[in-house]
């Protein structure tokens, strides 16, 4: 019983003491090692959550200037897992995360990679795609993080990585680094 109380206290301190805005791969790994040592497992096979109506109805603009709803963007890739990267060119953590994301793309080439930009201008968005050689599908939304779309996905930090399963359901709602061990574990399980 004392071990259980100590374990719960340790997890509480980790949760309260962690500033998710400064989390990195090392911290994520340490937390997962602690969960493993305590035999705490995340149920990734449970009923998966669907995106809400606000999210599904939000319209993004592609590089050609065409509008596409989030719902159609997801439906277009039915049958394949999707990694969504919500980012902006002004975000230093987004830029620092691109090498890990590119490694992820090499490791999981059958996965679709969708970049949703919250850039301040379309010009900056297009310029950053070229500058950082980002491979995948690119969409732009002229909103800030705390606007309607951000609220609909509970966006509190970018980059935000969301993993969508082959049926269009949310397999992972939030990761802030592309090499997050939970994200990688979920992608392993979603591969055909």
């Amino acid at each position: 019983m004392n071990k259980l109380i100590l374990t719960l206290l340790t997890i509480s301190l980790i949760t309260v003491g962690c500033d998710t805005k400064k989390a990195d791969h090392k911290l994520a790994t340490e937390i997962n090692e602690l969960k493993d040592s305590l035999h705490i497992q995340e149920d990734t096979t449970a009923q998966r959550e669907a995106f809400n109506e606000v999210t599904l109805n939000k319209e993004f603009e592609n590089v050609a200037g065409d509008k596409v709803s989030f719902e159609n963007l997801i439906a277009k890739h039915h049958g394949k897992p999707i990694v969504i990267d919500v980012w902006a060119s002004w975000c230093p953590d987004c830029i620092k995360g691109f090498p890990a994301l590119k490694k992820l793309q090499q490791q999981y080439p059958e996965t679709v990679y969708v970049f949703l930009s919250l850039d301040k201008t379309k010009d900056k968005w297009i310029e950053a795609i070229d500058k950082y050689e980002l491979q995948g599908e690119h969409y732009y939304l002229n909103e800030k993080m705390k606007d309607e779309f951000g609220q609909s996905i509970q966006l509190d930090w970018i980059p935000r990585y969301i993993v969508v399963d082959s049926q269009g359901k949310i397999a992972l709602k939030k990761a802030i680094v592309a090499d997050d061990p939970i994200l990688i574990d979920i992608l392993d399980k979603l591969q055909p």
Side-chain angles (χ1 to χ4, degrees):
M1 184 66 166
N2 287 340
K3 185 176 181 181
L4 178 60
I5 292 170
L6 182 60
T7 301
L8 292 174
L9 180 60
T10 303
I11 291 172
S12 297
L13 289 173
I14 289 171
T15 304
V16 171
C18 290
D19 180 357
T20 58
K21 293 179 181 177
K22 297 191 189 289
D24 61 5
H25 177 69
K26 182 179 178 193
L27 178 60
T29 302
E30 289 173 2
I31 290 170
N32 284 329
E33 287 172 359
L34 177 61
K35 284 173 35 181
D36 289 344
S37 70
L38 299 174
H39 305 292
I40 299 171
Q41 298 297 318
E42 202 169 296
D43 184 9
T44 58
T45 60
Q47 182 72 20
R48 294 210 168 107
E49 183 182 341
F51 288 100
N52 66 44
E53 288 300 313
V54 172
T55 306
L56 291 172
N57 292 326
K58 188 54 69 175
E59 285 196 339
F60 289 81
E61 189 174 329
N62 66 18
V63 177
D66 300 322
K67 299 276 185 181
V68 61
S69 71
F70 187 84
E71 181 174 27
N72 288 338
L73 190 154
I74 298 299
K76 172 181 170 180
H77 301 294
H78 186 81
K80 289 188 173 187
I82 305 167
V83 171
I84 298 171
D85 180 356
V86 182
W87 71 290
S89 66
W90 49 261
C91 166
D93 288 340
C94 298
I95 295 163
K96 284 192 281 187
F98 290 149
L101 181 66
K102 288 177 181 182
K103 276 178 121 173
L104 198 68
Q105 289 176 314
Q106 290 173 348
Q107 189 174 354
Y108 301 99
E110 298 302 315
T111 297
V112 176
Y113 295 87
V114 173
F115 295 84
L116 302 180
S117 173
L118 299 178
D119 256 290
K120 295 176 182 175
T121 68
K122 291 180 196 175
D123 291 339
K124 293 287 184 189
W125 165 56
I126 298 290
E127 185 180 305
I129 293 169
D130 292 336
K131 180 178 181 178
Y132 299 110
E133 300 175 344
L134 301 176
Q135 301 299 312
E137 292 188 20
H138 296 277
Y139 299 91
Y140 173 76
L141 181 63
N142 189 15
E143 286 189 12
K144 294 181 170 89
M145 284 178 46
K146 298 297 181 185
D147 287 345
E148 187 177 55
F149 178 74
Q151 288 179 20
S152 77
I153 63 167
Q154 300 164 347
L155 187 63
D156 59 358
W157 191 255
I158 57 175
R160 162 72 77 80
Y161 302 97
I162 301 169
V163 179
V164 180
D165 70 14
S166 61
Q167 302 305 307
K169 303 287 186 191
I170 302 168
L172 178 64
K173 194 172 197 167
K174 179 181 181 181
I176 60 172
V177 292
D179 53 3
D180 183 308
I182 295 171
L183 185 151
I184 292 168
D185 182 55
I186 288 172
L187 279 179
D188 281 340
K189 292 175 181 168
L190 293 178
Q191 295 309 297

